Amino acid sequence: MTVDAFQLYGTRLVETPPVRLRAGKLEADLANGNLRTIRYDGTEVLRAISYLVRDRDWGTYSPEITDLRIEQSDDRFEVAYQARCEGPDDTRLVIDVRITARADRLDFEAEAITETGFETNRCGFCILHPIVGLAGSPATVEHVDGEVVATRFPDLIEPWQPFKDMRAITHMVMPDVQAECRMEGDTFEMEDQRNWSDASYKTYVRPLALPWPYQIAANQPVRQKTSLIIRDISGATRDPSAGVSVGAIKLELGARTGTMPDIGVIITPEEVDATLSAKSVLTEIAPQELLFHFDPGAGHGVEVFRRFAAIATVHRGRSTLEIALPCKLSPSGETAEIARQMQLAEFKPDAIMISPSVDRQSTPPGSTWPDCPPLDEVYTAARTAFPGIRIGGGMLSYFTELNRKRVPDGQLDFVSHCTNPIVHAADDLSVMQTLEALPFITRSVRAIYGDKPYRIGPSTIPMRQNPYGSRTMDNPSGSRIPMANRDPRHNGRFAEAFALGYAIRVLDADLECLTLSALTGPFGLIAGPAEPTEQGGRRSLFNTIRTLSALTGASWQECVSSSPSEVLSFVARDTTGARLYVVNLTSKERKVDCSACGPTGKDSSGDLLLAPLAVAVLPLQRDVLAD
């Protein structure tokens, strides 16, 4: 099946397919000069080995690759190339790369040199271990001083680096097969990238406690090497189809059940007029919650509240005011002034989500925490200023910040945070893989806050704010770049599939509300001016948000997929009946066997054929559902 690339990705720029490299049982995909999905005998050992260069805002350079040479035989492969990064003020960095592999060893070597000097936050290797199957499992870490420590990969998400001063890390790939990853040329440490919803543990070069940005001196080579060493004492070869989808992907009903959450839509002051113009679409979607963003530090005042009140009147549903409290004066004085403005505008939301503005910026390891009043003082001030209104806290940024600055929840009626899938990488595979991390995030939140009412969002593919730098990245060409404030996939079926996959992955968290979009603008369901989609046209994401909003309060039942990285599903049941919702997360057509769920509407073979990044809804026979 051929589908127009724009329909899928919101752009006709298609990623170059990776080159599959093989050396005996060892396989890897070469993409943009880096290695992805490194497997041994069919099992993923490492998610990636990449040589990355980041700028002062933690943006990732896209180097120009030249002189690429690839040699392969049955039991070895070799890759060589040169990469060039162009920095500000005519600075340049050149990296010579050589990758060699045989059946039991892979070496990735790089030498970086600059004639001009080069400013960077990080220049060197990042090694990613997968999370599914490794979380909580044993590992052995060798430190730079030679000490060897038996430990485990974190199960709940670690707020800080679980391993520092690393020289090597070893884990079991499968019974009798061990993988050692050895790093040379600098001191490495590991962070738990699930904090940012990345589906990996990341071992990276140059400890964060050291100053950044820093300068690479002119004409001083920087040499590093990463080696993967496989020790296989089994003498056996696995079935090559193990862990790989062969034939139809099977769906089976599981035991877990719950209630579908409310669905929210965020409204910013910049989008108020466009939202009012699209009030009929808002009525059609009928989200349960409108999340209004208010930031006095950005000049928002009583006029913004008047416009919020106009939308709230049209919506007639619940609303939450998201406040970025400046904390330049006392919290009591600032919240009292906000309450005064709300009263003048006759705007009274059902809930307040309040957080100090400064907490939108991340405080990395080794950095000094910025001045901020005690959060209990902020929450007490909110209780006084907004009597009779539910008060929530947490972070207007991401789970990372909530995990590192755990808010006191004694005065709170709910906790909340956001996520973003393009913090570190923005290729299609990495973005879709972030869905794997979501159950770890929600389980970690529940471990901290128990059964406290819990909300997530707004969580969108484009980044609305950058806690790790001075700005989000402009993206006028519609590329796939990390930390971008616009992302082309938001316009395509990719966003529709991603959002439904997101909702499925967090079902078990018993969320009070889930917000995955705005109504208008770069994060919205309706295209605005200067967008690649027709102005006023509905993006594919509209379908998912309308579907989820209609399901609020319905009961859900888990549906187990034999290949959850490719296909996710769940069953929903309400007064109108029971339906199976299935989403294809891949860019390929997928055949799905849902006979164990008892659907109707399948093809003559008994299987469901799902187009790339497509969603299917099938009615079910009630007698196959668990009561």
Side-chain angles (χ1 to χ4, degrees), residues 284-285 525 538 541-551:
E284 182 180 352
I285 300 167
L525 307 177
R538 299 178 182 184
L541 179 60
F542 175 92
N543 302 322
T544 291
I545 303 305
R546 180 177 59 180
T547 294
L548 292 173
S549 182
L551 287 175

Side-chain angles (χ1 to χ4, degrees), residues 21-231:
L21 304 171
R22 292 185 177 89
K25 298 179 184 180
L26 196 62
E27 290 184 338
D29 291 340
L30 179 69
N32 299 319
N34 295 313
L35 298 179
R36 299 289 304 268
T37 319
I38 302 165
R39 298 169 297 278
Y40 181 77
D41 209 7
T43 296
E44 186 177 33
V45 180
L46 296 176
R47 186 134 282 184
I49 302 176
S50 303
Y51 191 93
L52 301 178
V53 184
R54 301 199 190 273
D55 65 21
R56 63 167 36 246
D57 288 310
W58 293 103
T60 304
Y61 283 97
S62 297
E64 177 190 4
I65 294 177
T66 59
D67 301 326
L68 176 63
R69 302 184 304 278
I70 301 174
E71 297 179 8
Q72 290 206 68
S73 64
D74 290 342
D75 59 354
R76 62 174 294 279
F77 62 77
E78 183 171 334
V79 177
Y81 64 86
Q82 190 173 87
R84 297 174 182 270
C85 295
E86 300 288 336
D89 303 320
D90 294 321
T91 56
R92 296 175 299 281
L93 185 72
V94 179
I95 307 118
D96 282 307
V97 171
R98 184 168 181 259
I99 305 170
T100 58
R102 54 183 187 267
D104 59 355
R105 185 182 179 105
L106 183 152
D107 293 298
F108 195 149
E109 302 174 78
E111 178 182 284
I113 192 164
T114 172
E115 295 179 350
T116 59
F118 197 87
E119 181 188 71
T120 182
N121 276 1
R122 175 175 296 154
C123 177
F125 282 112
C126 288
I127 301 102
L128 306 184
H129 283 77
I131 56 176
V132 175
L134 278 193
S137 68
T140 301
V141 173
E142 178 183 332
H143 295 285
V144 293
D145 62 2
E147 181 186 15
V148 178
V149 177
T151 182
R152 288 181 176 273
F153 287 97
D155 182 18
L156 296 176
I157 300 174
E158 282 286 334
W160 310 107
Q161 301 97 319
F163 312 132
K164 295 183 177 181
D165 302 323
M166 297 171 65
R167 180 61 63 228
I169 181 168
T170 303
H171 75 280
M172 299 301 296
V173 178
M174 61 187 84
D176 299 324
V177 178
Q178 187 182 72
E180 174 188 328
C181 189
R182 181 163 293 274
M183 297 78 66
E184 301 173 30
D186 208 326
T187 298
F188 287 71
E189 62 189 20
M190 178 184 282
E191 66 188 12
D192 194 336
Q193 278 209 131
R194 297 175 298 172
N195 275 295
W196 295 271
S197 76
D198 294 71
S200 58
Y201 303 100
K202 180 172 74 178
T203 302
Y204 56 91
V205 75
R206 189 174 169 91
L208 281 173
L210 296 176
W212 46 266
Y214 64 95
Q215 283 282 334
I216 299 177
N219 301 314
Q220 297 291 317
V222 177
R223 300 182 180 92
Q224 294 175 22
K225 179 179 180 181
T226 296
S227 300
L228 174 64
I229 302 136
I230 302 292
R231 299 182 180 91

Side-chain angles (χ1 to χ4, degrees), residues 288-300:
Q288 288 69 46
E289 192 86 33
L290 294 184
L291 178 61
F292 293 100
H293 177 71
F294 187 79
D295 181 1
H300 302 165

Side-chain angles (χ1 to χ4, degrees), residues 308-531:
F308 284 171
I311 295 175
T313 300
V314 171
H315 174 56
R316 300 185 183 277
R318 293 186 302 277
S319 61
T320 293
L321 181 67
E322 178 187 82
I323 300 175
L325 196 68
C327 294
K328 302 297 184 183
L329 305 173
S330 70
S332 59
E334 290 182 343
T335 54
E337 173 58 19
I338 292 171
R340 185 189 71 82
Q341 295 177 4
M342 289 167 55
Q343 188 173 19
L344 285 174
E346 298 183 349
F347 175 64
K348 185 175 182 180
D350 300 281
I352 299 283
M353 164 60 194
I354 191 166
S355 180
S357 181
V358 70
D359 280 347
R360 290 183 292 181
Q361 290 301 118
S362 184
T363 301
S367 302
T368 301
W369 287 88
D371 291 336
C372 182
L375 290 178
D376 271 330
E377 182 181 342
V378 171
Y379 302 150
T380 297
R383 285 280 179 204
T384 302
F386 311 113
I389 298 178
R390 297 180 73 216
I391 302 298
M395 290 293 160
L396 303 181
S397 52
Y398 308 131
F399 170 74
T400 321
E401 288 65 57
L402 181 63
N403 202 20
R404 290 177 171 175
K405 187 176 182 178
R406 300 182 178 184
V407 303
D409 64 329
Q411 299 186 67
L412 297 180
D413 295 303
F414 61 90
V415 294
S416 181
H417 67 82
C418 310
T419 68
N420 181 262
I422 59 170
V423 174
H424 292 115
D427 60 277
D428 295 337
L429 178 61
S430 294
V431 172
M432 207 58 90
Q433 283 179 334
T434 63
L435 300 177
E436 293 180 10
L438 296 177
F440 293 97
I441 288 177
T442 58
R443 189 160 57 87
S444 295
V445 169
R446 286 299 182 201
I448 300 168
Y449 296 106
D451 59 0
K452 178 72 68 175
Y454 175 20
R455 301 182 178 191
I456 293 179
S459 296
T460 59
I461 297 176
M463 178 181 270
R464 70 165 179 160
Q465 63 181 47
N466 180 4
Y468 318 109
S470 60
R471 60 187 176 91
T472 55
M473 305 302 164
D474 293 330
N475 190 14
S477 63
S479 303
R480 296 164 171 87
I481 60 174
M483 299 185 179
N485 47 37
R486 291 178 183 266
D487 190 285
R489 288 162 296 198
H490 188 79
N491 294 299
R493 274 178 19 196
F494 189 100
E496 178 183 9
F498 180 84
L500 187 58
Y502 195 115
I504 294 170
R505 285 293 197 179
V506 301
L507 280 178
D508 206 31
D510 191 26
L511 295 180
E512 181 175 275
C513 185
L514 175 62
T515 301
L516 296 173
S517 75
L519 182 67
T520 61
F523 309 98
L525 307 177
I526 303 170
E531 295 282 351

